[in-house]
Amino acid sequence: MLKILNIVGARPNFMKIAPIVREMKRRSDEFLPLIVHTGQHYDAAMSDSFFEDLGIPKPDYHLEIGSASHAVQTAKIMMAFELVILQEKPDWVLVVGDVNSTIACALVCSKLGVKVAHVEAGLRSGDMTMPEEVNRLLTDRISDLLLTPSTDGDENLLKEGITPGKIKFVGNVMIDSLFYSLKLAENSNVREDLSLIGKDYAVLTLHRPSNVDEKETFAELLDALVEVSEKLPVIFPAHPRTKSNIEKFGFAEILQTSNIKLIEPLGYLDFLRLYSGAKLVLTDSGGLQEETTALGIPCLTLRENTERPITIEMGTNILVGTNRAKITQAAFDVLSRKQTQDTKIPPLWDGKTAERICDALL
Ligand code: UD1
């Protein structure tokens, strides 16, 4: 029986851990899964609602770290998590993604000689100014088992000199949650509540510091998005960081007078129901590039690079950066397409990745 500590901290972790814990519980003769929530995200809309929507059991440990500078947040998680490790003495710690909780917990394990498995290993944007890129690189370097979502991940790891025996291509576990939840999401009334029935609309998410922390960049993005919204309404569930910067930079009025509808962050099922009916998604999120690929929805990524190149190869995702003309041109091109584009789903994005992760751990 393997005792596994499964780490979650921030919003994009929850949909990755849910299918893994479900599978471990199903195989209870082989696995004893415990959940540790670092508390990096703590708002009901950023955390609790995901536990409910995804059926994740209550965490066994809640470290309640909350928001702080990167150094303070990472250090506090390390200090609190070390005590959990010493108490539980797990066989493996499983970390997902690329947030500060991921590197913090992996680093504690490597110092204590506890084995770490990294789910979503090998993704690289090549942009070291991105906090997540540093988290990914370092987590992969110190992990014992590197579980990749696509084969570009394997190639990146091999190029970096990682021992081939540590790498296992298992597919994309976010897609397990997506396929599991599609039917459940049909019960959501979000489209009715936003008066979108029978209408074309776009969905927008923005939260990267490089897009929303500098007034000029954010202003140029908003100009482009207002122009897109003249063609079809844009629904914008905003991350807390983004919302507070909209206030700080005085952008609230631009939004109020536009066809962009700013709303609170949505839970997993409501958000799935919303974007799965969209004509177009505009985002700087990592996960949403993948979810739109799996569902064949056109996505414009408002960044200069992506650690998920397979979403571009498969035909749904276009990197448009932050230049106004480039964004509006790409959006209008997508909206003028007569037929939906032929898209492909990447290998092993099949809803069975959690099973392969469990097999690899055994
Ligand atoms: C984190 C991840 C990012 C991920 C994002 C998804 C890192 C380095 N970044 O960024 O990769 O894409 O989560 O959302 O780990 N806040 C709240 N309530 C919350 C959480 C945050 O109000 O529940 C606000 C706080 O003002 C906080 C700010 O958001 O200071 C940033 O939160 P933080 O966890 O530091 O990073 P994110 O930008 O959310």
Side-chain angles (χ1 to χ4, degrees):
M1 165 96 71
L2 288 181
K3 186 194 251 190
I4 318 270
L5 292 189
N6 297 281
I7 311 301
V8 289
R11 184 168 62 177
N13 297 157
F14 304 128
M15 57 295 275
K16 294 169 195 162
I17 219 76
I20 299 173
V21 170
R22 194 180 310 115
E23 180 65 9
M24 287 179 181
K25 291 220 174 251
R26 196 179 69 78
R27 292 159 71 167
S28 58
D29 49 335
E30 295 169 317
F31 293 98
L32 174 61
L34 298 178
I35 299 176
V36 180
H37 190 336
T38 66
Q40 178 174 345
H41 284 175
Y42 44 88
D43 280 355
M46 301 292 286
S47 174
D48 300 358
S49 79
F50 285 78
F51 276 75
E52 281 163 36
D53 280 2
L54 293 158
I56 308 173
K58 223 168 113 52
D60 299 277
Y61 289 88
H62 202 305
L63 309 182
E64 296 182 355
I65 300 305
S67 300
S69 70
H70 285 260
V72 170
Q73 188 176 58
T74 310
K76 279 181 155 178
I77 295 170
M78 287 180 69
M79 288 166 69
F81 184 57
E82 186 177 55
L83 300 177
V84 179
I85 291 276
L86 293 175
Q87 179 159 336
E88 290 293 343
K89 302 185 177 54
D91 296 299
W92 283 90
V93 169
L94 186 139
V95 296
V96 298
D98 53 19
V99 302
N100 286 343
S101 303
T102 312
I103 177 64
C105 294
L107 192 48
V108 171
C109 293
S110 86
K111 301 273 179 169
L112 291 175
V114 172
K115 281 183 284 189
V116 184
H118 183 207
V119 172
E120 207 183 83
L123 299 188
R124 299 289 182 264
S125 68
D127 175 3
M128 286 295 277
T129 64
M130 211 181 160
E132 293 81 2
E133 183 74 355
V134 178
N135 293 343
R136 283 178 207 121
L137 262 166
L138 299 181
T139 303
D140 285 341
R141 191 67 192 83
I142 57 180
S143 290
D144 302 276
L145 179 60
L146 295 147
L147 300 158
T148 61
S150 44
T151 48
D152 52 286
D154 299 50
E155 287 159 25
N156 291 333
L157 294 168
L158 291 171
K159 263 188 266 165
E160 288 167 17
I162 303 276
T163 316
K166 288 185 178 179
I167 307 168
K168 179 88 186 138
F169 170 43
V170 290
N172 190 335
V173 80
M174 275 192 81
I175 307 306
D176 288 21
S177 272
L178 176 63
F179 290 167
Y180 181 84
S181 307
L182 268 177
K183 196 102 198 100
L184 288 172
E186 286 175 15
N187 296 323
S188 156
N189 289 325
V190 70
R191 294 187 198 165
E192 288 80 356
D193 294 347
L194 292 166
S195 308
L196 297 170
I197 302 299
K199 284 193 194 149
D200 286 347
Y201 60 92
V203 171
L204 165 69
T205 77
L206 270 183
H207 73 284
R208 296 258 157 244
S210 58
N211 279 342
V212 301
D213 282 1
E214 247 182 59
K215 190 172 178 185
E216 288 69 33
T217 312
F218 198 175
E220 178 156 357
L221 273 170
L222 271 191
D223 283 345
L225 296 162
V226 168
E227 204 177 325
V228 172
S229 79
E230 284 157 12
K231 294 263 184 212
L232 84 177
V234 175
I235 313 297
F236 182 14
H239 182 287
R241 162 202 291 285
T242 311
K243 245 180 35 200
S244 78
N245 285 345
I246 287 170
E247 297 298 327
K248 184 166 116 192
F249 299 147
F251 293 157
E253 208 186 314
I254 305 176
L255 286 167
Q256 271 154 22
T257 53
S258 76
N259 208 10
I260 301 178
K261 190 170 174 59
L262 188 72
I263 60 171
E264 291 297 312
L266 293 171
Y268 185 77
L269 294 173
D270 283 338
F271 188 57
L272 169 54
R273 183 70 182 152
L274 181 68
Y275 73 77
S276 60
K279 275 264 161 260
L280 174 67
V281 167
L282 302 114
T283 191
D284 60 6
S285 147
L288 200 44
Q289 295 172 53
E290 300 180 332
E291 290 162 330
T292 48
T293 291
L295 295 180
I297 298 164
C299 175
L300 302 186
T301 294
L302 305 164
R303 288 172 44 189
E304 304 298 340
N305 50 56
T306 179
E307 60 289 333
R308 292 156 160 101
I310 196 154
T311 60
I312 296 175
E313 285 159 35
M314 293 288 146
T316 40
N317 190 16
I318 307 172
L319 266 189
V320 290
T322 54
N323 174 275
R324 177 178 176 166
K326 217 170 154 189
I327 296 168
T328 52
Q329 188 56 54
F332 298 152
D333 283 351
V334 169
L335 294 173
S336 65
R337 279 183 203 152
K338 292 270 178 301
Q339 282 176 335
T340 49
Q341 231 190 347
D342 266 351
T343 54
K344 289 173 279 181
I345 296 187
L348 301 194
W349 292 25
D350 58 359
K352 295 185 178 139
T353 293
E355 282 175 38
R356 290 186 286 268
I357 290 172
C358 287
D359 292 344
L361 283 165
L362 283 177

PDB file of all heavy atoms in Angstrom, residues 286-307:
ATOM      1  N   GLY A 286      -2.939  28.943 -18.876  1.00  0.00           N
ATOM      2  CA  GLY A 286      -2.345  27.759 -19.485  1.00  0.00           C
ATOM      3  C   GLY A 286      -3.395  26.689 -19.727  1.00  0.00           C
ATOM      4  O   GLY A 286      -3.554  26.181 -20.835  1.00  0.00           O
ATOM      5  N   GLY A 287      -4.163  26.391 -18.687  1.00  0.00           N
ATOM      6  CA  GLY A 287      -5.133  25.301 -18.759  1.00  0.00           C
ATOM      7  C   GLY A 287      -6.208  25.509 -19.808  1.00  0.00           C
ATOM      8  O   GLY A 287      -6.619  24.564 -20.490  1.00  0.00           O
ATOM      9  N   LEU A 288      -6.645  26.737 -19.943  1.00  0.00           N
ATOM     10  CA  LEU A 288      -7.733  26.995 -20.893  1.00  0.00           C
ATOM     11  C   LEU A 288      -7.279  26.768 -22.345  1.00  0.00           C
ATOM     12  O   LEU A 288      -8.089  26.395 -23.201  1.00  0.00           O
ATOM     13  CB  LEU A 288      -8.247  28.429 -20.674  1.00  0.00           C
ATOM     14  CG  LEU A 288      -9.631  28.796 -21.180  1.00  0.00           C
ATOM     15  CD1 LEU A 288     -10.689  27.748 -20.894  1.00  0.00           C
ATOM     16  CD2 LEU A 288     -10.056  30.148 -20.614  1.00  0.00           C
ATOM     17  N   GLN A 289      -6.008  26.947 -22.615  1.00  0.00           N
ATOM     18  CA  GLN A 289      -5.500  26.628 -23.964  1.00  0.00           C
ATOM     19  C   GLN A 289      -5.727  25.138 -24.244  1.00  0.00           C
ATOM     20  O   GLN A 289      -6.046  24.738 -25.361  1.00  0.00           O
ATOM     21  CB  GLN A 289      -4.006  26.928 -24.068  1.00  0.00           C
ATOM     22  CG  GLN A 289      -3.641  28.392 -23.924  1.00  0.00           C
ATOM     23  CD  GLN A 289      -2.124  28.563 -23.857  1.00  0.00           C
ATOM     24  OE1 GLN A 289      -1.392  28.082 -24.713  1.00  0.00           O
ATOM     25  NE2 GLN A 289      -1.644  29.242 -22.824  1.00  0.00           N
ATOM     26  N   GLU A 290      -5.557  24.328 -23.184  1.00  0.00           N
ATOM     27  CA  GLU A 290      -5.705  22.877 -23.358  1.00  0.00           C
ATOM     28  C   GLU A 290      -7.174  22.467 -23.423  1.00  0.00           C
ATOM     29  O   GLU A 290      -7.560  21.605 -24.221  1.00  0.00           O
ATOM     30  CB  GLU A 290      -5.041  22.151 -22.192  1.00  0.00           C
ATOM     31  CG  GLU A 290      -3.572  22.468 -22.088  1.00  0.00           C
ATOM     32  CD  GLU A 290      -2.878  21.761 -20.932  1.00  0.00           C
ATOM     33  OE1 GLU A 290      -3.522  21.446 -19.920  1.00  0.00           O
ATOM     34  OE2 GLU A 290      -1.671  21.536 -21.056  1.00  0.00           O
ATOM     35  N   GLU A 291      -7.978  23.072 -22.567  1.00  0.00           N
ATOM     36  CA  GLU A 291      -9.399  22.697 -22.522  1.00  0.00           C
ATOM     37  C   GLU A 291     -10.090  23.064 -23.838  1.00  0.00           C
ATOM     38  O   GLU A 291     -10.923  22.297 -24.341  1.00  0.00           O
ATOM     39  CB  GLU A 291     -10.066  23.384 -21.324  1.00  0.00           C
ATOM     40  CG  GLU A 291      -9.582  22.772 -20.008  1.00  0.00           C
ATOM     41  CD  GLU A 291      -9.836  23.643 -18.779  1.00  0.00           C
ATOM     42  OE1 GLU A 291      -9.861  24.885 -18.894  1.00  0.00           O
ATOM     43  OE2 GLU A 291      -9.985  23.090 -17.688  1.00  0.00           O
ATOM     44  N   THR A 292      -9.739  24.213 -24.400  1.00  0.00           N
ATOM     45  CA  THR A 292     -10.345  24.595 -25.681  1.00  0.00           C
ATOM     46  C   THR A 292      -9.857  23.664 -26.792  1.00  0.00           C
ATOM     47  O   THR A 292     -10.612  23.336 -27.703  1.00  0.00           O
ATOM     48  CB  THR A 292     -10.042  26.067 -26.033  1.00  0.00           C
ATOM     49  OG1 THR A 292      -8.641  26.308 -25.850  1.00  0.00           O
ATOM     50  CG2 THR A 292     -10.847  27.019 -25.177  1.00  0.00           C
ATOM     51  N   THR A 293      -8.606  23.206 -26.695  1.00  0.00           N
ATOM     52  CA  THR A 293      -8.097  22.246 -27.689  1.00  0.00           C
ATOM     53  C   THR A 293      -8.912  20.958 -27.635  1.00  0.00           C
ATOM     54  O   THR A 293      -9.333  20.424 -28.657  1.00  0.00           O
ATOM     55  CB  THR A 293      -6.604  21.946 -27.427  1.00  0.00           C
ATOM     56  OG1 THR A 293      -5.869  23.131 -27.724  1.00  0.00           O
ATOM     57  CG2 THR A 293      -6.082  20.803 -28.270  1.00  0.00           C
ATOM     58  N   ALA A 294      -9.159  20.474 -26.417  1.00  0.00           N
ATOM     59  CA  ALA A 294      -9.893  19.206 -26.274  1.00  0.00           C
ATOM     60  C   ALA A 294     -11.328  19.327 -26.793  1.00  0.00           C
ATOM     61  O   ALA A 294     -11.904  18.346 -27.253  1.00  0.00           O
ATOM     62  CB  ALA A 294      -9.893  18.767 -24.814  1.00  0.00           C
ATOM     63  N   LEU A 295     -11.895  20.538 -26.712  1.00  0.00           N
ATOM     64  CA  LEU A 295     -13.289  20.712 -27.151  1.00  0.00           C
ATOM     65  C   LEU A 295     -13.405  21.319 -28.551  1.00  0.00           C
ATOM     66  O   LEU A 295     -14.520  21.530 -29.044  1.00  0.00           O
ATOM     67  CB  LEU A 295     -14.051  21.598 -26.147  1.00  0.00           C
ATOM     68  CG  LEU A 295     -14.223  21.018 -24.739  1.00  0.00           C
ATOM     69  CD1 LEU A 295     -14.991  21.984 -23.849  1.00  0.00           C
ATOM     70  CD2 LEU A 295     -14.938  19.669 -24.776  1.00  0.00           C
ATOM     71  N   GLY A 296     -12.264  21.632 -29.175  1.00  0.00           N
ATOM     72  CA  GLY A 296     -12.289  22.187 -30.534  1.00  0.00           C
ATOM     73  C   GLY A 296     -12.828  23.611 -30.606  1.00  0.00           C
ATOM     74  O   GLY A 296     -13.436  24.016 -31.595  1.00  0.00           O
ATOM     75  N   ILE A 297     -12.594  24.390 -29.547  1.00  0.00           N
ATOM     76  CA  ILE A 297     -13.070  25.787 -29.531  1.00  0.00           C
ATOM     77  C   ILE A 297     -11.903  26.721 -29.872  1.00  0.00           C
ATOM     78  O   ILE A 297     -10.822  26.600 -29.277  1.00  0.00           O
ATOM     79  CB  ILE A 297     -13.621  26.139 -28.126  1.00  0.00           C
ATOM     80  CG1 ILE A 297     -14.815  25.248 -27.822  1.00  0.00           C
ATOM     81  CG2 ILE A 297     -14.001  27.612 -28.032  1.00  0.00           C
ATOM     82  CD1 ILE A 297     -15.194  25.234 -26.373  1.00  0.00           C
ATOM     83  N   PRO A 298     -12.083  27.656 -30.812  1.00  0.00           N
ATOM     84  CA  PRO A 298     -10.979  28.553 -31.151  1.00  0.00           C
ATOM     85  C   PRO A 298     -10.532  29.380 -29.943  1.00  0.00           C
ATOM     86  O   PRO A 298     -11.363  29.912 -29.206  1.00  0.00           O
ATOM     87  CB  PRO A 298     -11.575  29.477 -32.226  1.00  0.00           C
ATOM     88  CG  PRO A 298     -12.779  28.778 -32.730  1.00  0.00           C
ATOM     89  CD  PRO A 298     -13.290  27.926 -31.611  1.00  0.00           C
ATOM     90  N   CYS A 299      -9.218  29.453 -29.758  1.00  0.00           N
ATOM     91  CA  CYS A 299      -8.656  30.159 -28.601  1.00  0.00           C
ATOM     92  C   CYS A 299      -7.566  31.108 -29.075  1.00  0.00           C
ATOM     93  O   CYS A 299      -6.690  30.709 -29.850  1.00  0.00           O
ATOM     94  CB  CYS A 299      -8.064  29.123 -27.635  1.00  0.00           C
ATOM     95  SG  CYS A 299      -7.205  29.819 -26.218  1.00  0.00           S
ATOM     96  N   LEU A 300      -7.621  32.357 -28.639  1.00  0.00           N
ATOM     97  CA  LEU A 300      -6.526  33.294 -28.895  1.00  0.00           C
ATOM     98  C   LEU A 300      -5.777  33.478 -27.586  1.00  0.00           C
ATOM     99  O   LEU A 300      -6.366  33.890 -26.580  1.00  0.00           O
ATOM    100  CB  LEU A 300      -7.049  34.646 -29.374  1.00  0.00           C
ATOM    101  CG  LEU A 300      -7.907  34.656 -30.633  1.00  0.00           C
ATOM    102  CD1 LEU A 300      -8.218  36.096 -31.044  1.00  0.00           C
ATOM    103  CD2 LEU A 300      -7.224  33.918 -31.785  1.00  0.00           C
ATOM    104  N   THR A 301      -4.491  33.163 -27.586  1.00  0.00           N
ATOM    105  CA  THR A 301      -3.707  33.267 -26.363  1.00  0.00           C
ATOM    106  C   THR A 301      -2.984  34.608 -26.329  1.00  0.00           C
ATOM    107  O   THR A 301      -2.165  34.911 -27.207  1.00  0.00           O
ATOM    108  CB  THR A 301      -2.755  32.071 -26.249  1.00  0.00           C
ATOM    109  OG1 THR A 301      -3.559  30.897 -26.084  1.00  0.00           O
ATOM    110  CG2 THR A 301      -1.828  32.195 -25.044  1.00  0.00           C
ATOM    111  N   LEU A 302      -3.300  35.386 -25.294  1.00  0.00           N
ATOM    112  CA  LEU A 302      -2.815  36.765 -25.189  1.00  0.00           C
ATOM    113  C   LEU A 302      -1.447  36.762 -24.504  1.00  0.00           C
ATOM    114  O   LEU A 302      -1.263  37.326 -23.426  1.00  0.00           O
ATOM    115  CB  LEU A 302      -3.837  37.594 -24.402  1.00  0.00           C
ATOM    116  CG  LEU A 302      -5.264  37.555 -24.977  1.00  0.00           C
ATOM    117  CD1 LEU A 302      -6.288  38.053 -23.973  1.00  0.00           C
ATOM    118  CD2 LEU A 302      -5.348  38.358 -26.265  1.00  0.00           C
ATOM    119  N   ARG A 303      -0.511  36.056 -25.111  1.00  0.00           N
ATOM    120  CA  ARG A 303       0.862  35.961 -24.594  1.00  0.00           C
ATOM    121  C   ARG A 303       1.806  35.842 -25.785  1.00  0.00           C
ATOM    122  O   ARG A 303       1.378  35.524 -26.890  1.00  0.00           O
ATOM    123  CB  ARG A 303       1.006  34.694 -23.720  1.00  0.00           C
ATOM    124  CG  ARG A 303       0.300  34.783 -22.397  1.00  0.00           C
ATOM    125  CD  ARG A 303       0.313  33.451 -21.657  1.00  0.00           C
ATOM    126  NE  ARG A 303       1.611  32.789 -21.700  1.00  0.00           N
ATOM    127  CZ  ARG A 303       1.830  31.544 -21.276  1.00  0.00           C
ATOM    128  NH1 ARG A 303       0.832  30.830 -20.776  1.00  0.00           N
ATOM    129  NH2 ARG A 303       3.022  31.006 -21.344  1.00  0.00           N
ATOM    130  N   GLU A 304       3.092  36.082 -25.535  1.00  0.00           N
ATOM    131  CA  GLU A 304       4.083  35.997 -26.618  1.00  0.00           C
ATOM    132  C   GLU A 304       4.596  34.566 -26.783  1.00  0.00           C
ATOM    133  O   GLU A 304       5.252  34.247 -27.759  1.00  0.00           O
ATOM    134  CB  GLU A 304       5.287  36.920 -26.329  1.00  0.00           C
ATOM    135  CG  GLU A 304       4.933  38.394 -26.087  1.00  0.00           C
ATOM    136  CD  GLU A 304       4.273  39.067 -27.283  1.00  0.00           C
ATOM    137  OE1 GLU A 304       4.410  38.548 -28.415  1.00  0.00           O
ATOM    138  OE2 GLU A 304       3.592  40.093 -27.069  1.00  0.00           O
ATOM    139  N   ASN A 305       4.366  33.721 -25.777  1.00  0.00           N
ATOM    140  CA  ASN A 305       4.881  32.345 -25.857  1.00  0.00           C
ATOM    141  C   ASN A 305       3.892  31.422 -25.158  1.00  0.00           C
ATOM    142  O   ASN A 305       3.005  31.876 -24.436  1.00  0.00           O
ATOM    143  CB  ASN A 305       6.255  32.266 -25.167  1.00  0.00           C
ATOM    144  CG  ASN A 305       6.225  32.888 -23.788  1.00  0.00           C
ATOM    145  OD1 ASN A 305       5.427  32.510 -22.931  1.00  0.00           O
ATOM    146  ND2 ASN A 305       7.076  33.870 -23.558  1.00  0.00           N
ATOM    147  N   THR A 306       4.081  30.134 -25.384  1.00  0.00           N
ATOM    148  CA  THR A 306       3.260  29.168 -24.646  1.00  0.00           C
ATOM    149  C   THR A 306       4.106  27.952 -24.309  1.00  0.00           C
ATOM    150  O   THR A 306       4.973  27.553 -25.088  1.00  0.00           O
ATOM    151  CB  THR A 306       2.015  28.714 -25.443  1.00  0.00           C
ATOM    152  OG1 THR A 306       1.297  27.755 -24.642  1.00  0.00           O
ATOM    153  CG2 THR A 306       2.351  28.076 -26.787  1.00  0.00           C
ATOM    154  N   GLU A 307       3.854  27.392 -23.138  1.00  0.00           N
ATOM    155  CA  GLU A 307       4.521  26.139 -22.749  1.00  0.00           C
ATOM    156  C   GLU A 307       3.714  24.954 -23.254  1.00  0.00           C
ATOM    157  O   GLU A 307       4.060  23.819 -22.991  1.00  0.00           O
ATOM    158  CB  GLU A 307       4.712  26.077 -21.225  1.00  0.00           C
ATOM    159  CG  GLU A 307       3.435  26.135 -20.392  1.00  0.00           C
ATOM    160  CD  GLU A 307       2.783  27.506 -20.407  1.00  0.00           C
ATOM    161  OE1 GLU A 307       3.516  28.500 -20.593  1.00  0.00           O
ATOM    162  OE2 GLU A 307       1.549  27.593 -20.258  1.00  0.00           O
TER     163      GLU A 307
END
